[in-house]
Amino acid sequence: MKGEARTPDMFTVCMLGVRPRPYAGQRYAEYRDAERQAKEDVRETLCDHDIYLGKRLVATVCSPSLAGNIKVDLTELGSRFA
């Protein structure tokens, strides 16, 4: 029997509180690209965004402070990629 071919997990950027979809528009092979996109989205929307690897939370990108600083909170899994 052949096993099913499994596609590799990719990084997905979602607004805070939204679960990642299997075929979402913002999917990235590398963490750095996903973090860059999340920071751009946070600047535009002023809402926090999450970065997922498959269905596992990797990081939360917080909305900018009054000084314009954007904070990235990594999970234990996310600390492996940063």
Side-chain angles (χ1 to χ4, degrees), residues 13 33-43 49 51 61:
V13 177
D33 296 333
E35 183 179 341
R36 187 178 311 118
Q37 182 62 47
K39 285 181 178 180
E40 288 178 15
D41 290 351
V42 164
R43 281 189 195 100
H49 282 66
I51 300 173
V61 181

Side-chain angles (χ1 to χ4, degrees), residues 3 24 31 55 64 76:
Y31 171 77
K55 292 186 178 183
E76 187 175 327

